[in-house]
Amino acid sequence: MDKICMVHRDSLSCEAIVRKLSDGSLLLLSQCGGLSEPCIDNRVLVFHSNDGEHWSKPELIKEDNGRALYTTDVFVDGDTVTAYMTEHNGEYLDDDCFALVSRDGGYTWERRELPVFRNAFVFLRGTFRTTDGKIIIAYQHYPIPKEENDRLSAEGKSVSDSQIPAVLCGTLVSEDGAHFRKSNDIAVPNEFAGKRIWQWPEPTVAELSHGFAMLLRVNGAGVLYRSDSEDGLTWSAMYPTDIPNPNNKPKLIRMEGGAIALINTPNPVPGMKNRNPLEIWISDDDMRTWRYKKRVLDFPGWLSYPDGFAEGKRILFSFEVNRHDVYFADCDVSDFYG
């Protein structure tokens, strides 16, 4: 049986991320507040639950300093929780990207520097541990020169007014959790079909039986794009898949036994109003085909930014509806196994 439970309603909610802690409880972080995204009133709220149905009252992840705050990933490694953060001026300019680390289940947090990237505008995403113990983190990097950042900020403009030609995506790989190597960059041009369009690629990576695959959102395309790597450090140029996507974040999850689950809104018509239906697809042939497809929700609204994890024969994830309501879903996929 599937369960879908509302967690929180706000003036804005964007990119809820849920994880299971070492004690078995659930931790959910979400950007909330303000009337749009980005907005100077965006903040990151923290929620706890023991059952997925009853959630704690929201708490700010850090003291409010009047600047916008966004979280792009949450990684649980034993008793340590790491949240990757971006603080900015409300337009993703004058940014400060860093990690917050908790060792008490997400109740208190300490600031840490990001691996590899220093003084860079970068979103770290989809952290996971490989079957041989490495840690892989996907990134999307906006190499905006300081001079351009300062000019745009002084003119009251947004990051999307930047003239950088492409967003750079790839991975960071560590064998010990402390020292990371950076992959080559996958360039995602800030245009599509000859028209200027700002890209939020939101890369998601999965370990295959041999090597790795990355899926990327490409605004305007109507499908997801893919890149491949044998070692997690050398990536191919991206190429289009036949997986529909309306400009929405996808999420890949490796399951027990090596099957790969994809949470996605497989609609080929670009636009936020087309972020439905919400489905789980599962592949048992390294993402060549998707023999299992389960429709989770077909509510005719904006079903955005799913993110979660697998537990046995279940997929547990968070998402938001119409940019206001945060939901938690616990979905049974045991029929995939026959």
Side-chain angles (χ1 to χ4, degrees), residues 19-39:
R19 299 289 184 262
K20 175 158 281 193
L21 300 177
S22 59
D23 66 0
S25 66
L26 297 169
L27 175 71
L28 187 150
L29 274 61
S30 180
Q31 176 186 233
C32 294
L35 297 176
S36 62
E37 189 268 335
C39 172

Side-chain angles (χ1 to χ4, degrees), residues 7 77 118 123 125 163 170 178 198 230 264 287 300 311 326:
V7 177
D77 191 21
R118 297 289 187 272
F123 292 169
R125 294 188 169 278
Q163 293 304 302
W198 191 258
E230 292 185 1
N264 183 37
M287 296 172 51
E311 185 174 59
V326 177

Side-chain angles (χ1 to χ4, degrees), residues 79-154:
D79 293 329
T80 301
V81 182
T82 303
Y84 294 114
M85 316 297 298
T86 297
E87 190 175 274
H88 58 94
N89 73 342
E91 297 290 352
Y92 283 122
L93 295 167
D94 304 332
D95 48 87
D96 180 17
C97 298
F98 54 92
L100 290 177
V101 174
S102 176
R103 304 185 192 283
D104 61 1
Y107 290 97
T108 61
W109 302 83
E110 296 179 356
R111 178 176 170 132
R112 295 289 186 273
E113 295 303 312
L114 296 184
V116 177
F117 290 98
R118 297 289 187 272
N119 302 315
F121 179 26
V122 63
F123 292 169
L124 300 188
R125 294 188 169 278
T127 310
F128 68 96
R129 191 177 288 278
T130 65
T131 53
D132 62 357
K134 296 184 180 70
I135 293 176
I136 292 185
I137 311 174
Y139 67 80
Q140 64 189 69
H141 175 212
Y142 296 87
I144 301 172
K146 184 178 186 306
E147 296 77 10
E148 185 179 17
N149 172 91
D150 293 348
R151 176 182 61 79
L152 293 172
S153 182

